[in-house]
Amino acid sequence: MDERDLELLTLIEKQGRLETSQLAKMMDMKEDEIALRMRRLEEQKVILGYSALIDWKKTPEKERVTASIDVKVTPTRGRGFDAVAERIYRFKEVKALYLMSGTYDLAVVIEGATMAEIANFVSDKLSTLDSVISTTTHFQLKQYKHDGMIFVDDDDQDPRMVVSP
C-alpha cells in the first residue's frame, strides 16, 4: 500500500459516491489505474464495503431504536476476548462491536424496532452467554452527528420561548 492508495481511501471514505472518472481527475491518474487500485484494495479486504448514511427520521419508515450496551466478560483461555466477541457479533441485531479499555470490556451497538425488542435481546441472547458477567444498556435518544455527518438541520428552530434573567 502506498501514498496514492491512502489518498484514494481517504477520498472514498468521505465521499463514497464518487465515480472512477471523478477520482481519476482529483488524483491526476487514469481511470483504469483507479479501478485497478480499488479492486486490489477490495480483494485485500482493506475496502470492506460501501454504504450510505441515512437520516431515517426523514423517511416514512418507522424510526429504529438504537442502544449501546457495555458488556463485562470473562475472556476465553487461549483466545482472550476474540471468542466471546465472535459469538456476539454473529447476532443479526448487532451493528457494531468494539473491545474497550476501562470498566467494561466490550461495547455493543444494536438496533431494534422497539425498546422491548432490545431488552429481549439483552436478557435472552446476550446475558445468557456463559462468559458475560454483566451488561449496562444505554438507549440512543437523539442523533446529532455520525461518521462526521451532522444530523441537525440548520432550519430546525427550537420552539421553546427564550427566558432570560
Side-chain angles (χ1 to χ4, degrees):
M1 186 173 308
D2 60 15
E3 285 186 34
R4 301 300 276 187
D5 286 342
L6 294 174
E7 182 181 1
L8 177 61
L9 291 170
T10 302
L11 285 171
I12 62 173
E13 181 182 39
K14 290 182 182 176
Q15 300 177 41
R17 291 192 60 180
L18 291 174
E19 295 182 16
T20 309
S21 59
Q22 293 172 301
L23 290 165
K25 286 179 186 174
M26 293 170 80
M27 295 181 64
D28 193 27
M29 295 172 70
K30 294 182 179 180
E31 284 186 53
D32 57 342
E33 187 179 351
I34 294 289
L36 182 67
R37 284 177 182 268
M38 289 183 69
R39 191 169 34 257
R40 182 176 40 78
L41 291 166
E42 289 167 356
E43 289 169 358
Q44 293 174 349
K45 303 271 189 235
V46 175
I47 298 174
L48 298 174
Y50 303 89
S51 63
L53 192 54
I54 310 295
D55 190 350
W56 287 106
K57 70 179 185 286
K58 293 183 178 178
T59 68
E61 170 80 16
K62 284 191 349 186
E63 281 192 57
R64 300 173 182 148
V65 178
T66 303
S68 176
I69 307 165
D70 297 326
V71 185
K72 183 119 183 108
V73 299
T74 303
T76 306
R77 182 179 299 271
R79 293 216 41 222
F81 294 103
D82 294 346
V84 182
E86 186 175 333
R87 293 268 327 263
I88 295 171
Y89 70 60
R90 293 195 181 280
F91 290 117
K92 66 177 175 44
E93 298 89 345
V94 175
K95 300 301 173 196
L97 176 62
Y98 308 97
L99 178 62
M100 306 296 288
S101 64
T103 307
Y104 288 90
D105 303 308
L106 301 172
V108 182
V109 178
I110 68 168
E111 284 184 354
T114 64
M115 291 175 108
E117 189 176 300
I118 289 173
N120 288 336
F121 170 81
V122 174
S123 63
D124 298 344
K125 295 180 180 179
L126 186 61
S127 64
T128 59
L129 296 175
D130 291 335
S131 52
V132 172
I133 298 169
S134 66
T135 64
T136 302
T137 303
H138 309 275
F139 287 97
Q140 178 181 306
L141 301 177
K142 184 175 182 178
Q143 187 170 31
Y144 293 101
K145 188 174 184 177
H146 182 79
D147 283 345
M149 297 298 294
I150 297 173
F151 279 74
V152 180
D153 290 334
D154 290 337
D155 58 339
D156 281 351
Q157 298 296 320
D158 190 342
R160 298 175 291 182
M161 182 177 17
V162 177
V163 177
S164 59

